[in-house]
mmCIF file of all heavy atoms in Angstrom:
data_model
loop_
_atom_site.group_PDB
_atom_site.id
_atom_site.type_symbol
_atom_site.label_atom_id
_atom_site.label_comp_id
_atom_site.label_asym_id
_atom_site.label_seq_id
_atom_site.Cartn_x
_atom_site.Cartn_y
_atom_site.Cartn_z
ATOM 1 N N ILE A 75 -94.768 -142.017 8.474
ATOM 2 C CA ILE A 75 -94.495 -140.782 7.747
ATOM 3 C C ILE A 75 -93.841 -139.831 8.742
ATOM 4 O O ILE A 75 -94.478 -139.397 9.704
ATOM 5 C CB ILE A 75 -95.787 -140.156 7.174
ATOM 6 C CG1 ILE A 75 -96.650 -141.218 6.474
ATOM 7 C CG2 ILE A 75 -95.444 -139.015 6.249
ATOM 8 C CD1 ILE A 75 -96.017 -141.903 5.315
ATOM 9 N N ALA A 76 -92.586 -139.529 8.531
ATOM 10 C CA ALA A 76 -91.832 -138.750 9.504
ATOM 11 C C ALA A 76 -92.230 -137.276 9.457
ATOM 12 O O ALA A 76 -93.094 -136.858 8.676
ATOM 13 C CB ALA A 76 -90.334 -138.910 9.244
ATOM 14 N N GLN A 77 -91.571 -136.483 10.296
ATOM 15 C CA GLN A 77 -91.865 -135.051 10.383
ATOM 16 C C GLN A 77 -91.554 -134.337 9.059
ATOM 17 O O GLN A 77 -90.648 -134.721 8.320
ATOM 18 C CB GLN A 77 -91.033 -134.404 11.489
ATOM 19 C CG GLN A 77 -91.377 -134.880 12.883
ATOM 20 C CD GLN A 77 -90.530 -134.186 13.934
ATOM 21 O OE1 GLN A 77 -89.915 -133.156 13.681
ATOM 22 N NE2 GLN A 77 -90.499 -134.747 15.128
ATOM 23 N N ASP A 78 -92.318 -133.302 8.789
ATOM 24 C CA ASP A 78 -92.061 -132.383 7.674
ATOM 25 C C ASP A 78 -92.096 -133.076 6.319
ATOM 26 O O ASP A 78 -91.411 -132.639 5.386
ATOM 27 C CB ASP A 78 -90.713 -131.677 7.863
ATOM 28 C CG ASP A 78 -90.646 -130.891 9.158
ATOM 29 O OD1 ASP A 78 -91.612 -130.159 9.447
ATOM 30 O OD2 ASP A 78 -89.651 -131.003 9.889
ATOM 31 N N VAL A 79 -92.885 -134.132 6.191
ATOM 32 C CA VAL A 79 -93.036 -134.808 4.902
ATOM 33 C C VAL A 79 -94.186 -134.168 4.132
ATOM 34 O O VAL A 79 -95.291 -133.999 4.661
ATOM 35 C CB VAL A 79 -93.287 -136.314 5.091
ATOM 36 C CG1 VAL A 79 -93.704 -136.965 3.776
ATOM 37 C CG2 VAL A 79 -92.034 -136.990 5.630
ATOM 38 N N THR A 80 -93.925 -133.822 2.878
ATOM 39 C CA THR A 80 -94.932 -133.225 2.003
ATOM 40 C C THR A 80 -95.594 -134.309 1.167
ATOM 41 O O THR A 80 -94.911 -135.114 0.537
ATOM 42 C CB THR A 80 -94.288 -132.166 1.097
ATOM 43 O OG1 THR A 80 -93.910 -131.043 1.892
ATOM 44 C CG2 THR A 80 -95.244 -131.714 0.004
ATOM 45 N N LEU A 81 -96.929 -134.330 1.172
ATOM 46 C CA LEU A 81 -97.717 -135.247 0.351
ATOM 47 C C LEU A 81 -98.760 -134.417 -0.382
ATOM 48 O O LEU A 81 -99.625 -133.813 0.257
ATOM 49 C CB LEU A 81 -98.415 -136.302 1.213
ATOM 50 C CG LEU A 81 -97.551 -137.271 2.007
ATOM 51 C CD1 LEU A 81 -98.424 -138.114 2.938
ATOM 52 C CD2 LEU A 81 -96.762 -138.176 1.084
ATOM 53 N N THR A 82 -98.687 -134.366 -1.716
ATOM 54 C CA THR A 82 -99.657 -133.560 -2.444
ATOM 55 C C THR A 82 -100.199 -134.319 -3.640
ATOM 56 O O THR A 82 -99.491 -135.094 -4.282
ATOM 57 C CB THR A 82 -99.049 -132.231 -2.928
ATOM 58 O OG1 THR A 82 -98.047 -132.488 -3.913
ATOM 59 C CG2 THR A 82 -98.451 -131.455 -1.779
ATOM 60 N N ALA A 83 -101.472 -134.086 -3.928
ATOM 61 C CA ALA A 83 -102.127 -134.590 -5.132
ATOM 62 C C ALA A 83 -102.694 -133.389 -5.875
ATOM 63 O O ALA A 83 -103.462 -132.610 -5.305
ATOM 64 C CB ALA A 83 -103.221 -135.589 -4.784
ATOM 65 N N GLY A 84 -102.325 -133.250 -7.145
ATOM 66 C CA GLY A 84 -102.756 -132.086 -7.901
ATOM 67 C C GLY A 84 -101.727 -130.969 -7.844
ATOM 68 O O GLY A 84 -100.859 -130.940 -6.967
ATOM 69 N N MET A 85 -101.837 -130.041 -8.790
ATOM 70 C CA MET A 85 -100.867 -128.948 -8.860
ATOM 71 C C MET A 85 -101.072 -127.894 -7.787
ATOM 72 O O MET A 85 -100.151 -127.154 -7.458
ATOM 73 C CB MET A 85 -100.936 -128.281 -10.243
ATOM 74 C CG MET A 85 -100.357 -129.124 -11.347
ATOM 75 S SD MET A 85 -100.213 -128.185 -12.887
ATOM 76 C CE MET A 85 -99.450 -129.425 -13.939
ATOM 77 N N MET A 86 -102.283 -127.846 -7.243
ATOM 78 C CA MET A 86 -102.570 -126.853 -6.209
ATOM 79 C C MET A 86 -103.790 -127.312 -5.420
ATOM 80 O O MET A 86 -104.542 -128.187 -5.872
ATOM 81 C CB MET A 86 -102.815 -125.477 -6.831
ATOM 82 C CG MET A 86 -103.986 -125.428 -7.786
ATOM 83 S SD MET A 86 -104.121 -123.844 -8.651
ATOM 84 C CE MET A 86 -102.665 -123.936 -9.707
ATOM 85 N N PRO A 87 -104.009 -126.764 -4.240
ATOM 86 C CA PRO A 87 -105.179 -127.155 -3.460
ATOM 87 C C PRO A 87 -106.476 -126.751 -4.149
ATOM 88 O O PRO A 87 -106.520 -125.839 -4.980
ATOM 89 C CB PRO A 87 -104.991 -126.389 -2.148
ATOM 90 C CG PRO A 87 -103.566 -126.001 -2.104
ATOM 91 C CD PRO A 87 -103.138 -125.829 -3.519
ATOM 92 N N GLY A 88 -107.555 -127.464 -3.801
ATOM 93 C CA GLY A 88 -108.890 -127.082 -4.234
ATOM 94 C C GLY A 88 -109.300 -127.567 -5.597
ATOM 95 O O GLY A 88 -110.383 -127.208 -6.070
ATOM 96 N N LEU A 89 -108.484 -128.401 -6.253
ATOM 97 C CA LEU A 89 -108.839 -128.904 -7.573
ATOM 98 C C LEU A 89 -109.717 -130.148 -7.462
ATOM 99 O O LEU A 89 -109.590 -130.925 -6.514
ATOM 100 C CB LEU A 89 -107.586 -129.235 -8.372
ATOM 101 C CG LEU A 89 -106.616 -128.086 -8.663
ATOM 102 C CD1 LEU A 89 -105.403 -128.602 -9.423
ATOM 103 C CD2 LEU A 89 -107.307 -126.983 -9.445
ATOM 104 N N ASP A 90 -110.589 -130.347 -8.434
ATOM 105 C CA ASP A 90 -111.341 -131.589 -8.546
ATOM 106 C C ASP A 90 -110.540 -132.517 -9.457
ATOM 107 O O ASP A 90 -110.411 -132.276 -10.655
ATOM 108 C CB ASP A 90 -112.731 -131.334 -9.138
ATOM 109 C CG ASP A 90 -113.585 -132.598 -9.178
ATOM 110 O OD1 ASP A 90 -113.047 -133.693 -8.928
ATOM 111 O OD2 ASP A 90 -114.788 -132.490 -9.471
ATOM 112 N N LEU A 91 -109.996 -133.580 -8.892
ATOM 113 C CA LEU A 91 -109.087 -134.464 -9.621
ATOM 114 C C LEU A 91 -109.774 -135.714 -10.141
ATOM 115 O O LEU A 91 -109.111 -136.638 -10.614
ATOM 116 C CB LEU A 91 -107.913 -134.848 -8.707
ATOM 117 C CG LEU A 91 -107.126 -133.668 -8.136
ATOM 118 C CD1 LEU A 91 -106.036 -134.155 -7.196
ATOM 119 C CD2 LEU A 91 -106.544 -132.815 -9.254
ATOM 120 N N GLY A 92 -111.106 -135.766 -10.057
ATOM 121 C CA GLY A 92 -111.830 -136.893 -10.626
ATOM 122 C C GLY A 92 -112.101 -137.995 -9.625
ATOM 123 O O GLY A 92 -111.927 -137.839 -8.418
ATOM 124 N N ALA A 93 -112.501 -139.146 -10.157
ATOM 125 C CA ALA A 93 -112.966 -140.240 -9.304
ATOM 126 C C ALA A 93 -111.845 -141.148 -8.803
ATOM 127 O O ALA A 93 -112.005 -141.851 -7.804
ATOM 128 C CB ALA A 93 -113.991 -141.080 -10.070
ATOM 129 N N ASP A 94 -110.709 -141.162 -9.486
ATOM 130 C CA ASP A 94 -109.658 -142.127 -9.163
ATOM 131 C C ASP A 94 -108.599 -141.509 -8.248
ATOM 132 O O ASP A 94 -108.376 -140.292 -8.268
ATOM 133 C CB ASP A 94 -108.992 -142.620 -10.450
ATOM 134 C CG ASP A 94 -109.967 -143.338 -11.358
ATOM 135 O OD1 ASP A 94 -110.859 -144.031 -10.821
ATOM 136 O OD2 ASP A 94 -109.832 -143.210 -12.596
ATOM 137 N N PRO A 95 -107.904 -142.342 -7.465
ATOM 138 C CA PRO A 95 -106.822 -141.822 -6.624
ATOM 139 C C PRO A 95 -105.665 -141.329 -7.476
ATOM 140 O O PRO A 95 -105.436 -141.809 -8.589
ATOM 141 C CB PRO A 95 -106.420 -143.035 -5.777
ATOM 142 C CG PRO A 95 -106.823 -144.221 -6.591
ATOM 143 C CD PRO A 95 -108.063 -143.806 -7.324
ATOM 144 N N ILE A 96 -104.923 -140.393 -6.955
ATOM 145 C CA ILE A 96 -103.744 -139.858 -7.629
ATOM 146 C C ILE A 96 -102.467 -140.396 -6.999
ATOM 147 O O ILE A 96 -101.547 -140.819 -7.695
ATOM 148 C CB ILE A 96 -103.743 -138.314 -7.583
ATOM 149 C CG1 ILE A 96 -104.982 -137.765 -8.291
ATOM 150 C CG2 ILE A 96 -102.475 -137.742 -8.199
ATOM 151 C CD1 ILE A 96 -105.025 -138.059 -9.774
ATOM 152 N N LEU A 97 -102.411 -140.402 -5.679
ATOM 153 C CA LEU A 97 -101.214 -140.840 -4.948
ATOM 154 C C LEU A 97 -101.570 -142.016 -4.051
ATOM 155 O O LEU A 97 -102.497 -141.920 -3.243
ATOM 156 C CB LEU A 97 -100.650 -139.688 -4.112
ATOM 157 C CG LEU A 97 -99.537 -140.012 -3.104
ATOM 158 C CD1 LEU A 97 -98.342 -140.636 -3.796
ATOM 159 C CD2 LEU A 97 -99.132 -138.749 -2.349
ATOM 160 N N THR A 98 -100.843 -143.126 -4.198
ATOM 161 C CA THR A 98 -101.099 -144.315 -3.388
ATOM 162 C C THR A 98 -99.806 -144.791 -2.738
ATOM 163 O O THR A 98 -98.804 -145.021 -3.431
ATOM 164 C CB THR A 98 -101.678 -145.461 -4.242
ATOM 165 O OG1 THR A 98 -102.937 -145.064 -4.774
ATOM 166 C CG2 THR A 98 -101.868 -146.711 -3.395
#
Side-chain angles (χ1 to χ4, degrees):
I75 313 299
Q77 294 181 17
D78 301 313
V79 169
T80 290
L81 297 172
T82 66
M85 288 190 178
M86 61 187 69
L89 299 178
D90 184 350
L91 303 177
D94 298 325
I96 299 295
L97 170 58
T98 297

